[in-house]
Amino acid sequence: MASFLQLTFNPMGYSVLRSPSMPPAPSRSLSLSFLSPNAVEINAETSAPFDATTEFDFKGYLMSKAVSVNRALDLAIPLVHPKRIHEAMRYSLLGGGKRIRPALCIAACEIVGGNEAQAIPPACAVEMIHTMSLIHDDLPCMDNDDLRRGQPSCHRAYGEPVAVLAGDALLALAFRHLVDLGNYPSSNPIPPAIFVRATAELARCIGAEGLVAGQLLDIESTGLENPVDIDRLEFIHLHKTAALLEASVVIGAMVGGGSDLEVERLRRYARCIGLLFQVVDDILDVTKSSEELGKTAAKDLASNKTTYPKLLGLDKSREFAEELLQDAKSQIEGFDPLKSAPLLHLANYIAYRQK
């Protein structure tokens, strides 16, 4: 059996996001070599040819998935008693957003042979958790941001206590929504073992081994006199940003019936685009206005936070982003080109987005 790409990063000796079944990844030798370009071995007998020029209506795909996800999110949180908490949850969850994580979840499900109906519940779950992280991230005790998605942050609209509770409620609802059998098509039931794996995956990627770990180190690294080094910065963003993107893709592949090899390959794709997302975010923060971004621009600079442009400069940051993009694309070369088109275009979208 062909061996697939092995991740060659080992930030700060931390490897929790690697599957227990995967062999240990060696430490990298260069700061800008997140993955080794030579670490890919494709099984020529089973790999489909990859045609990057395959015609695909990416805008239509993204819009249709967003419509499906928004409809499901709207139904998931009715305005019931106590009304104020549900209003705050809906305010943040339905108040815009690119729905990248749900789209990744659905696309990962489809690439391994699943369908949209199977992926909508986990797609909604990851968006609920993403929204929770934004609500909490904007709080005065965290990033203290008054603007989110072009409107006042949740704590500015509803007050800090309600914002904290709204985030907590979204976190709990996400797991309930993920495992509620009533949310899935009865014609093609998902095995209970998959729900267990998906729940564990999501919990790990957002807890003290994932998103929370990255958030903590981000807080501790803000305002330091000297910038943190590249390894620490990478650790922060592989956990704070990439972890939930990874969970989105991996859970989608799981409910779609993907094999262990397919799931792990898509995991590596997700890690690449997860770090890519943050590198691009850092670039946009210093090159775009608040009006263009829909959130406060140059906030990282004002808070003396280490970013990729601050550490590497804009040109090197852009080069790093391009390297991550190509590494992500290499992970989906073995899949059916038609089914892999959404993930290919999503990677491009993340790399070249303007807000």
Side-chain angles (χ1 to χ4, degrees), residues 123-205:
C124 289
V126 295
E127 189 65 12
M128 290 173 186
I129 290 176
H130 174 55
T131 302
M132 173 278 295
S133 73
L134 298 181
I135 293 173
H136 287 177
D137 203 40
D138 289 339
L139 290 169
C141 64
M142 302 288 274
D143 275 4
N144 192 24
D145 210 322
D146 293 339
L147 193 64
R148 175 64 64 181
R149 291 173 173 170
Q151 61 184 13
S153 302
C154 188
H155 71 275
R156 297 296 297 173
Y158 289 89
E160 289 180 45
V162 173
V164 170
L165 293 173
D168 293 345
L170 284 169
L171 177 60
L173 179 59
F175 284 96
R176 174 184 171 184
H177 198 80
L178 174 64
V179 299
D180 187 342
L181 296 179
N183 293 327
Y184 294 86
S186 58
S187 58
N188 188 18
I190 295 172
I194 296 298
F195 284 122
V196 174
R197 289 179 60 196
T199 301
E201 180 75 26
L202 186 56
R204 180 174 58 80
C205 284

Side-chain angles (χ1 to χ4, degrees), residues 92-134:
S92 294
L93 187 63
L94 302 176
K98 297 177 283 291
R99 305 304 190 217
I100 295 300
R101 289 154 192 82
L104 284 167
C105 185
I106 296 169
C109 180
E110 294 173 336
I111 200 175
V112 298
N115 57 59
E116 179 182 302
Q118 292 173 304
I120 286 294
C124 289
V126 295
E127 189 65 12
M128 290 173 186
I129 290 176
H130 174 55
T131 302
M132 173 278 295
S133 73
L134 298 181

Side-chain angles (χ1 to χ4, degrees), residues 16 41 57 73 109 112 126 128 138 141 164 197 209 218 243 245 249 303 351 353:
V16 69
E41 182 183 341
D57 180 13
L73 290 173
C109 180
V112 298
V126 295
M128 290 173 186
D138 289 339
C141 64
V164 170
R197 289 179 60 196
E209 297 176 343
D218 189 34
L245 289 166
V249 171
S303 60
R353 64 194 172 94

